[in-house]
Amino acid sequence: MDRKRIIELLAQWNPWQAGRVDGGVGRKGYLDALERFHRSGQIVTVTGVRRSGKSTLLKQYLNSLCERHGPESILYINFDEAALGTVTLEGLLEIYG
């Protein structure tokens, strides 16, 4: 897959690059917990039943990171995106770099 196509796909999953994304009703307790984990440097897995709000919570947290650090500091990659199935780690690092 060529670089231009990968960037187009990533842009679809990173809409905050163009401005704030509505993340629904904020869940302060969960967002505070994510912030504590982020500061600790721990790797965190957000789990839950299907359609429980995991992606929405992460989008809300990404919005808060964008507000503090700017959208250029955030890159969200959805590995469920079928079109990214042929992209290698080296390919993503080349685009990121």
Side-chain angles (χ1 to χ4, degrees):
M1 179 177 300
D2 70 8
R3 177 183 166 96
K4 181 180 176 189
R5 178 65 181 133
I6 294 171
I7 290 172
E8 288 172 358
L9 286 170
L10 292 176
Q12 292 173 16
W13 290 103
N14 290 270
W16 44 85
Q17 299 290 339
R20 184 173 172 79
V21 175
D22 180 29
V25 176
R27 303 289 188 233
K28 184 167 176 23
Y30 291 120
L31 293 170
D32 290 345
L34 283 176
E35 181 60 33
R36 284 191 304 275
F37 284 125
H38 183 204
R39 283 194 311 262
S40 75
Q42 295 181 40
I43 295 173
V44 177
T45 302
V46 178
T47 63
V49 297
R50 187 171 182 267
R51 300 194 51 83
S52 62
K54 300 175 298 288
S55 295
T56 299
L57 176 65
L58 291 174
K59 288 176 185 173
Q60 291 172 356
Y61 188 63
L62 289 172
N63 274 334
S64 72
L65 289 175
C66 286
E67 288 172 2
R68 287 181 284 162
H69 305 289
E72 65 281 349
S73 67
I74 306 298
L75 176 63
Y76 174 79
I77 301 173
N78 183 346
F79 289 105
D80 286 336
E81 173 64 57
L84 291 176
T86 61
V87 177
T88 64
L89 175 60
E90 289 78 19
L92 290 173
L93 289 173
E94 179 182 326
I95 290 166
Y96 183 73

